[in-house]
């Protein structure tokens, strides 16, 4: 499925029925299937390997708690800056997966509280990806794209796009905006600083909780340059780190993750629990990255 950075794509992803785990057949049971049924079963198993199963890790728990606190605080009418959340970490750690999961859960809960007649017209969550080397106009175009507003003309200004996006999100009842790849805003350059300022002014005009995600944000230009003074006081950062394997507690945590990933595999000949003995090897192969571990085991399966 494509990145859900439009209203239609987000709604399709948020409403998608979670895939059911296929039954694990024995070798004899699989061979007993006819050719068509066996091919369908194998296709179902392959599809299952690529599903967006999210583990309730400490990072997911912490992010859920931070977002819950921020959204409660931001419901209070105030003319001052609202609290925002930022998720930082190296690549392959699962930042996008985590914020999408949080956003999807928030979307479903928010719409469930609406009267049935209003649920289809309500869009509590908007997800957008910051383009590389974005100018204010390009950035606000990405925002408009996220709410299915068309790119009108080349003469359209960033201010016009901002006004249109704010009006659209207000009408849609948007109360959470997820901004991914926020590290693409290079504020030590004039164009990047202008784009970051445009995003800041846009956020100030919208009654919504902003959730940012990006690579190594505390050391990025956005959080260390001259622009940082405008945002660091209103953004709470959660740093995702690779898992470690030094202490017994760390080894036990990583081994539990290996076991959880292994439990997702639906293989006929694989002895359950056999990957736990390979936890150290799998740590060396993946550097303690859960995303890399999932990918490695899925590819092998």
């Amino acid at each position: 499925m494509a990145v859900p950075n439009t209203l239609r794509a987000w709604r399709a992803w948020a409403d998608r029925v979670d895939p059911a785990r296929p039954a694990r057949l024995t070798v004899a049971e699989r061979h007993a299937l006819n050719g068509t049924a066996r091919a369908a079963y194998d296709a179902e198993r392959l599809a299952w390997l690529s599903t967006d199963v999210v583990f309730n890790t400490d990072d997911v728990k912490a992010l859920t708690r931070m977002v819950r606190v921020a959204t409660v605080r931001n419901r209070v009418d105030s003319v001052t800056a609202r609290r925002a959340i930022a998720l930082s970490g190296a690549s392959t750690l699962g930042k996008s997966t985590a914020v999408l999961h949080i956003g999807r859960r928030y979307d479903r809960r928010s719409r469930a509280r609406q009267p049935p007649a209003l649920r289809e017209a309500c869009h509590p969550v908007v997800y957008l990806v910051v383009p590389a080397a974005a100018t204010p106009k390009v950035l606000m175009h990405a925002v408009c794209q996220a709410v299915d507003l068309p790119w009108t003309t080349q003469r359209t200004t960033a201010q016009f796009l901002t006004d249109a996006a704010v009006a659209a999100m207000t009408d849609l009842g948007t109360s959470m905006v997820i901004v991914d790849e926020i590290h693409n805003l290079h504020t030590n350059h004039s164009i990047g600083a202008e784009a970051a300022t445009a995003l800041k002014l846009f956020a100030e005009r919208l009654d919504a909780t902003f959730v940012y995600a990006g690579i190594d944000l505390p050391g990025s230009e956005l959080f260390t340059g001259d622009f940082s003074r405008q945002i660091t006081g209103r953004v709470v950062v959660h740093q995702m780190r690779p898992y470690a394997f030094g202490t017994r507690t760390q080894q036990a945590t990583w081994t539990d993750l290996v076991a959880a990933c292994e439990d997702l595999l639906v293989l006929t000949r694989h002895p359950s629990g056999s990957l736990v003995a390979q936890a150290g090897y799998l740590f060396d192969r993946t550097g303690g990255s859960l995303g890399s571990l999932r990918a490695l085991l899925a590819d092998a399966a």
Side-chain angles (χ1 to χ4, degrees):
M1 185 175 183
V3 176
N5 59 347
T6 66
L7 287 185
R8 180 177 298 181
W10 176 270
R11 178 57 58 84
W13 182 78
D15 288 344
R16 186 180 63 179
V17 177
D18 292 329
R21 175 178 172 169
R24 182 180 178 183
L25 303 182
T26 65
V27 175
E29 289 171 335
R30 179 180 175 277
H31 282 307
L33 300 174
N34 62 41
T36 301
R38 189 183 307 157
Y41 174 65
D42 289 343
E44 187 180 6
R45 291 194 295 163
L46 285 171
W48 170 252
L49 289 172
S50 301
T51 54
D52 300 316
V53 177
V54 178
F55 296 127
N56 198 28
T57 63
D58 289 343
D59 286 318
V60 171
K61 292 176 183 177
L63 184 61
T64 300
R65 183 170 57 252
M66 292 167 66
V67 169
R68 183 169 62 245
V69 170
T71 53
V72 169
R73 291 186 59 178
N74 291 344
R75 290 193 191 111
V76 179
D77 289 335
S78 175
V79 296
T80 59
R82 296 171 182 82
R83 180 65 59 90
I85 304 297
L87 182 61
S88 172
S91 58
T92 77
L93 291 185
K95 299 180 299 299
S96 295
T97 300
V99 293
L100 284 168
H101 170 71
I102 297 298
R104 185 188 193 200
R105 191 161 57 186
Y106 178 84
D107 183 283
R108 289 181 168 183
R109 282 203 311 267
S110 298
R111 281 194 287 135
R113 288 196 294 264
Q114 296 290 331
L118 301 179
R119 287 176 188 170
E120 285 304 312
C122 179
H123 289 271
V125 178
V126 167
Y127 174 83
L128 65 108
V129 179
V130 176
T135 65
K137 188 173 179 178
V138 170
L139 175 63
M140 294 315 301
H141 173 234
V143 175
C144 288
Q145 181 185 44
V147 290
D148 294 348
L149 290 177
W151 173 269
T152 53
T153 68
Q154 293 296 322
R155 296 181 180 179
T156 301
T157 64
Q159 183 62 51
F160 177 87
L161 295 173
T162 301
D163 293 342
V166 170
M169 290 187 187
T170 301
D171 291 342
L172 293 168
T174 301
S175 54
M176 176 180 288
V177 180
I178 300 174
V179 185
D180 210 348
E181 307 289 342
I182 190 70
H183 57 269
N184 282 333
L185 292 179
H186 299 288
T187 58
N188 285 350
H189 304 284
S190 59
I191 292 179
E194 291 170 3
T197 299
L199 179 61
K200 171 181 171 290
L201 295 176
F202 165 67
E204 290 174 348
R205 293 180 57 187
L206 199 64
D207 288 329
T209 299
F210 276 67
V211 180
Y212 304 104
I215 297 175
D216 299 331
L217 294 182
S220 69
E221 296 173 8
L222 190 65
F223 281 73
T224 59
D226 295 336
F227 184 80
S228 66
R229 291 190 295 272
Q230 302 181 47
I231 63 170
T232 51
R234 65 185 70 173
V235 178
V236 180
V237 180
H238 177 75
Q239 183 70 36
M240 291 182 71
R241 293 180 173 83
Y243 288 87
F245 202 69
T247 67
R248 289 186 176 180
T249 300
Q250 292 168 344
Q251 291 172 6
T253 300
W254 176 256
T255 300
D256 288 343
L257 280 175
V258 170
C261 289
E262 182 182 17
D263 190 53
L264 296 177
L265 307 179
V266 184
L267 300 172
T268 56
R269 293 185 175 89
H270 179 74
S272 297
S274 59
L275 285 184
V276 170
Q278 304 297 326
Y281 165 75
L282 292 171
F283 179 84
D284 292 337
R285 281 290 303 272
T286 63
S289 166
L290 178 55
S292 296
L293 175 66
R294 290 283 305 276
L296 177 67
L297 296 183
D299 289 346

